[in-house]
Amino acid sequence: MTKPITKSLVDDLIARAGRREILFGTMGLGYVGLPLAVELAHAGYRVLGFDVNTGVVEGLNQGRSHVKDVTEAQLREAMGCGRFSATTDMSRLSEPDAISICVPTPLSKFKDPDVSYIVAATEAVKKQLRRGQAIVLESTTYPGTTREIMLPALESTGLKVGQDFFLAFSPERVDPGNPTYGTRNTPKVVGGITEDCRRVAVALYQPAIDTLVPVSTTEAAELVKLLENTFRSVNIGLVNEMAIVCDKLGVDVWEVIEAAATKPFGFMKFLPGPGLGGHCIPIDPHYLAWKMRGLNYKTRFIDLAGELNTEMPMFWVRKLVEALNSRAKAVRGASVLVLGVAYKRDIDDIRESPALDIIRLLEGQGARVTYFDPHVPRFREDGQEFRSVQLTPEVVAAADCVMIVTDHRAIDFKMVKQKAQLVVDTRNAIPREA
Ligand SMILES: NC(=O)c1ccc[n+]([C@@H]2O[C@H](COP(=O)([O-])OP(=O)(O)OC[C@H]3O[C@@H](n4cnc5c(N)ncnc54)[C@H](O)[C@@H]3O)[C@@H](O)[C@H]2O)c1
């Protein structure tokens, strides 16, 4: 008896997705959830965004975007036609037909996965779960989270997955600040707990995403994201080690990499730098390493890349000390101007940014540190408030050393080269500009 009813539920959701007669809920309206919500609204869905942060919700409902990749014009367009609004009222989670969960997945103090946000979001969904809803987790996490944490919680309501409700995992791949690839044109991987779960999730995303990539299980989908970010972490670790090797050999690492990249096959270009940052690459591989520790397997590549990348701020601070020394200057008392504190070019995100380690290390050695970042006017770290200086020729010339940490396009590196007494360039920004 249940089978035909289930089929009609599946077919009904798929048909309504085709007609955009779905109310989509997005939980967590940050770097990932907000661009997704706006793209779903743009595709013709009505979208109700949920967030626990009152300030975020109030700002959005007043048309203010706190995420750089979503312009206020895009937000207003979605709101103007009544297709997007936000709420903190979790009792409204019964309203959407589909809910995408995009909550944070940080690490605990001991670098273990902190899935407490996923647990809290699942509990909130569970309280309102009704027949016919599709739930998709998008947060990056270890393989097994959807089946081991979310499924039992949601089925404790008495509703059955694949029959009464649908559960899938679809990793978010957003690359903040990327002018070419956004939510719509980045292919999206989807794995369901059952085949119908996957079919429903694929159909729901189809109007908003150009290419969908179905995989057989939620575990496969969870692992896809971890493979992608581990691949980046390991390759960045490799070129960072190559930077240290080249430094010892007196060879220009960037010249070596650019020349290697002329090989039209079998080589992929990664660039060295001050270390990893952001909410993904420094964190995600630890989710996999933790899971594998529980299965008595040590993920050696992940651990080694983590070590190498974490040591890069120290490497660059050592370079700065040597550079000052070559001018008969001590780091203690020296004025150092750090250019860029965001973890990568043209964005305003300082989470896990290596600039924070560099500033802490320099201050620890007695340097007087100031910074300029056109995207980060101020920030707070360890209770200390930092404010960006203005980048003028006088400010550059006054510093004993300028350290380039983030190669934002808005920085006039030609002027920096002309005016600075000494430059330590972790990104090779000066030769590129010159
Ligand atoms: N930022 C990226 O570049 C990126 C890229 C791909 C994947 N991811 C992954 O996406 C997930 C979200 O990352 P983000 O960068 O958008 O985080 P974020 O911190 O920018 O946003 C998360 C939002 O979730 C809200 N939130 C927390 N708990 C909630 C709850 N119980 N219910 C509703 N809302 C809640 C927070 O208030 C916040 O606004 C993470 O798993 C991350 O690893 C991030």
Side-chain angles (χ1 to χ4, degrees):
M1 265 318 274
T2 42
K3 200 115 200 172
I5 297 171
T6 304
K7 278 292 164 219
S8 69
L9 209 55
V10 172
D11 294 341
D12 175 59
L13 271 171
I14 293 175
R16 286 199 290 129
R19 296 194 300 268
R20 315 290 189 271
E21 288 170 8
I22 291 281
L23 176 63
F24 230 108
T26 50
M27 270 187 108
L29 297 167
Y31 288 93
V32 165
L34 187 61
L36 176 68
V38 167
E39 202 59 64
L40 289 166
H42 190 66
Y45 286 123
R46 279 182 309 122
V47 182
L48 181 56
F50 293 85
D51 204 291
V52 288
N53 185 325
T54 318
V56 162
V57 166
E58 280 173 3
L60 289 173
N61 284 335
Q62 286 161 15
R64 283 198 312 274
S65 171
H66 60 292
V67 172
K68 244 197 158 111
D69 286 346
V70 173
T71 63
E72 300 204 331
Q74 284 171 310
L75 184 60
R76 292 221 166 93
E77 185 205 311
M79 295 174 77
C81 50
R83 285 213 284 267
F84 177 74
S85 62
T87 182
T88 53
D89 181 1
M90 299 296 158
S91 71
R92 295 189 64 191
L93 280 165
S94 59
E95 293 176 29
D97 305 287
I99 301 171
S100 289
I101 301 177
C102 313
V103 295
T105 42
L107 292 173
S108 74
K109 246 184 19 208
F110 301 103
K111 296 224 181 284
D112 287 342
D114 173 3
V115 290
S116 60
Y117 296 90
I118 294 181
V119 170
T122 306
E123 281 301 305
V125 169
K126 178 184 115 180
K127 282 195 189 131
Q128 308 300 330
L129 189 69
R130 62 165 171 81
R131 200 157 182 278
Q133 280 186 316
I135 317 299
V136 187
L137 179 63
E138 300 226 359
S139 303
T140 308
T141 184
Y142 59 82
T145 308
T146 313
R147 196 182 302 274
E148 291 160 15
I149 293 183
M150 295 185 70
L151 180 59
L154 298 178
E155 282 199 329
S156 72
T157 56
L159 296 174
K160 181 107 188 75
V161 74
Q163 283 183 19
D164 303 312
F165 72 95
F166 305 95
L167 180 60
F169 182 84
S170 179
E172 180 49 64
R173 286 168 151 174
V174 71
D175 180 20
N178 189 322
T180 314
Y181 290 103
T183 305
R184 173 170 273 283
N185 65 352
T186 304
K188 193 159 178 56
V189 172
V190 182
I193 293 285
T194 68
E195 205 185 315
D196 278 341
C197 291
R198 186 187 63 209
R199 281 182 60 219
V200 166
V202 165
L204 286 166
Y205 284 122
Q206 206 115 54
I209 312 284
D210 292 343
T211 309
L212 286 148
V213 185
V215 294
S216 62
T217 58
T218 49
E219 285 77 7
E222 288 160 338
L223 201 45
V224 166
K225 174 75 189 183
L226 294 184
L227 169 62
E228 290 164 10
N229 282 356
T230 302
F231 175 84
R232 285 191 64 75
S233 171
V234 167
N235 280 289
I236 294 168
L238 174 65
V239 288
N240 276 336
E241 180 160 69
M242 206 47 78
I244 296 168
V245 166
C246 285
D247 183 57
K248 288 190 183 296
L249 293 172
V251 176
D252 181 342
V253 67
W254 281 281
E255 184 188 6
V256 172
I257 291 171
E258 288 305 332
T262 59
K263 186 178 177 185
F265 48 87
F267 185 84
M268 189 178 281
K269 187 166 110 178
F270 283 83
L271 295 173
L276 295 180
H279 188 4
C280 291
I281 300 170
I283 293 177
D284 301 349
H286 289 288
Y287 269 67
L288 187 54
W290 174 87
K291 175 75 182 179
M292 295 318 295
R293 273 202 301 280
L295 297 174
N296 282 327
Y297 183 79
K298 191 170 151 55
T299 49
R300 284 154 291 176
F301 269 117
I302 292 179
D303 297 356
L304 187 56
E307 263 172 50
L308 275 158
N309 292 327
T310 310
E311 282 169 16
M312 289 315 284
M314 276 176 281
F315 169 78
W316 284 109
V317 167
R318 215 165 36 241
K319 295 298 297 171
L320 181 139
V321 172
E322 285 167 17
L324 282 172
N325 194 40
S326 70
R327 301 278 174 104
K329 281 186 183 165
V331 67
R332 179 161 302 281
S335 58
V336 179
L337 172 62
V338 168
L339 294 186
V341 289
Y343 77 85
K344 67 171 185 175
R345 179 195 274 189
D346 298 343
I347 64 163
D348 60 357
D349 192 351
I350 60 161
R351 290 178 298 178
E352 313 285 328
S353 174
L356 307 180
D357 286 330
I358 287 173
I359 292 173
R360 189 175 40 78
L361 287 167
L362 287 171
E363 288 193 330
Q365 297 203 35
R368 291 178 290 116
V369 185
T370 51
Y371 87 94
F372 168 74
D373 192 310
H375 303 287
V376 186
R378 67 181 68 85
F379 68 93
R380 196 164 247 293
E381 179 72 4
D382 291 336
Q384 199 179 337
E385 167 98 5
F386 293 85
R387 274 170 192 275
S388 173
V389 297
Q390 295 289 327
L391 191 67
T392 62
E394 294 73 32
V395 165
V396 171
D400 292 312
C401 185
V402 175
M403 187 166 198
I404 300 171
V405 177
T406 319
D407 51 348
H408 292 305
R409 267 179 269 250
I411 296 178
D412 182 354
F413 289 111
K414 268 195 195 126
M415 179 276 279
V416 172
K417 183 180 158 68
Q418 277 166 10
K419 299 291 173 189
Q421 300 178 38
L422 189 63
V423 179
V424 173
D425 184 357
T426 72
R427 301 277 189 179
N428 202 32
I430 294 269
R432 238 185 300 137
E433 281 300 309

